[in-house]
Amino acid sequence: MKMVNRSCPVCGSKDQSKVFAEADCDLNQLDSFAFACRKLLEYMHYRLISCPTCDVLYASPIPELSELATAYHEPAFDSSEEAHYASRTYASFLPEIMQHIPNLDGAIDIGTGDGAFLEELLRTGFTSVIGVEPEPFQAPILAAKEEIQPLIKHGLFRVEDFQAGTFSLITCFQTLEHLYDPKQMCQDAYTLIKKGGAVFFICHNHRALSAKILRMRSPIFDIEHLQLFSEKSARYLLKMNGFTTITTKVIFNRYPLHYWVKLFPLPLKLKRFCLSFLKKTKIGYLPVSIPAGNLAVIGYKK
């Protein structure tokens, strides 16, 4: 696999003097779930650089874009339950956003998976709702409800596929970390949003308490994450691409207990035993809210 060096994907800084962590990965150990969301963790990561300008952690070197596209080819999907829990949590931010955007006509959810958040947008009153899920991600699209599937566009998010200035809201949840060029995605989102419209992102916060406690055993340090944000770097990303009135807020994620156990850094055999037990009992499906290190970021187009 050919690896390439890169500058900071947020601010463009070439200063790589501050190495946060050296590479720790064995690509031969990765299975079909390695590039799928809400999976069992391998605790692998590329070399991570701490940008002195914008505070993002970014991987360098990384595989070429064509290599990454191959890695994401037909990943397994088994996270519909967790996706709907997450969508309900994220939907709790919509009432506040709706007070400031011009109307509820036009919304794009980038990296929509099985379209769980599209359901929330429709329930809240949004119209002309579109989900984008990169082809050939067939598994999550096929897992979407029958009435949601026609709303999901197969393929990469491309600005030229939509009319500029026609969307009131663009969302992107726990996907910024995976993008080869998150700055370009923000620029494209700004182009598509109406005046007064908003972007709403959820990203991992590498400065969260959970990340400090678990350190490199935190689930945010993963082979599929090409960059990790903080409050400072997330604000920097939006501000440098034209967004104003930027707010950030800590997320209290709500998931069944068995999902939290899947994320906790236990020995693999013990983890599999606990998961098997919990999924056979009612307590394993008890919803638990935890500030797990995720950050909501909202910005508006003047």
Side-chain angles (χ1 to χ4, degrees):
M1 181 176 288
K2 186 176 180 180
M3 305 290 283
V4 293
N5 282 297
R6 63 174 182 159
S7 56
C8 174
V10 173
C11 69
S13 171
K14 298 184 183 299
D15 185 347
Q16 297 194 356
S17 60
K18 190 174 180 181
V19 178
F20 180 83
E22 293 292 350
D24 182 9
C25 59
D26 180 357
L27 300 182
N28 294 323
Q29 293 184 24
L30 302 181
D31 60 18
S32 63
F33 285 93
F35 289 87
C37 63
R38 302 181 181 91
K39 58 181 182 176
L40 282 176
L41 304 174
E42 302 91 8
Y43 299 107
M44 298 186 192
H45 55 83
Y46 303 117
R47 177 172 174 259
L48 295 174
I49 306 298
S50 178
C51 179
T53 302
C54 69
D55 197 44
V56 75
L57 288 183
Y58 66 97
S60 181
I62 58 174
E64 287 186 318
L65 182 58
S66 58
E67 297 277 4
L68 285 174
T70 301
Y72 277 93
H73 182 78
E74 291 292 353
F77 181 81
D78 71 340
S79 60
S80 182
E81 178 189 26
E82 291 89 352
H84 281 78
Y85 269 98
S87 292
R88 286 190 287 271
T89 297
Y90 305 156
S92 66
F93 288 84
L94 290 177
E96 173 64 22
I97 295 172
M98 289 162 57
Q99 294 181 32
H100 304 288
I101 58 179
N103 53 54
L104 304 185
D105 183 34
I108 303 177
D109 184 34
I110 302 171
T112 196
D114 66 352
F117 193 69
L118 299 182
E119 298 177 43
E120 298 295 333
L121 288 170
L122 292 171
R123 182 183 60 78
T124 311
F126 279 85
T127 57
S128 302
V129 169
I130 300 171
V132 180
E133 182 63 22
E135 198 170 1
F137 270 29
Q138 298 296 331
I141 296 172
L142 293 174
K145 291 183 178 179
E146 186 176 353
E147 64 271 22
I148 296 297
Q149 288 188 16
L151 305 179
I152 301 177
K153 180 184 180 299
H154 295 219
L156 298 172
F157 169 67
R158 303 190 310 166
V159 66
E160 57 266 30
D161 291 338
F162 307 97
Q163 185 176 347
T166 58
F167 293 91
S168 292
L169 178 65
I170 293 181
T171 60
C172 185
F173 302 139
Q174 295 190 339
T175 299
L176 285 177
E177 293 87 350
H178 303 249
L179 298 179
Y180 207 84
D181 190 350
K183 181 168 62 176
Q184 184 63 56
M185 191 278 283
C186 278
Q187 292 172 359
D188 292 343
Y190 189 87
T191 297
L192 297 178
I193 290 175
K194 304 172 183 177
K195 290 182 179 179
V199 290
F200 173 23
F201 300 151
I202 303 290
C203 57
H204 299 298
N205 180 4
H206 73 79
R207 294 202 176 275
L209 179 61
S210 59
K212 292 178 180 179
I213 293 174
L214 296 176
R215 299 176 66 83
M216 300 314 294
R217 300 294 284 179
S218 166
I220 71 172
F221 299 110
D222 189 80
I223 194 75
E224 62 183 339
H225 292 159
L226 303 183
Q227 50 272 328
L228 293 166
F229 293 85
S230 62
E231 183 178 357
K232 178 181 177 180
S233 53
R235 285 178 173 273
Y236 195 106
L237 178 66
L238 267 63
K239 183 177 180 181
M240 294 302 293
N241 289 288
F243 294 98
T244 61
T245 320
I246 301 165
T247 60
T248 60
K249 188 174 181 180
V250 172
I251 295 280
F252 277 72
N253 290 95
R254 184 176 176 83
Y255 290 115
L257 180 59
H258 69 78
Y259 176 69
W260 292 121
V261 171
K262 184 165 70 171
L263 292 184
F264 198 77
L266 296 171
L268 187 56
K269 287 185 178 180
L270 176 59
K271 181 179 291 189
R272 291 187 185 278
F273 172 80
C274 291
L275 288 174
S276 177
F277 171 77
L278 288 172
K279 288 188 175 183
K280 295 176 182 177
T281 63
K282 289 184 179 180
I283 192 173
Y285 294 88
L286 178 69
V288 178
S289 296
I290 297 176
N294 291 321
L295 191 67
V297 189
I298 302 167
Y300 295 86
K301 180 176 180 177
K302 272 191 175 180

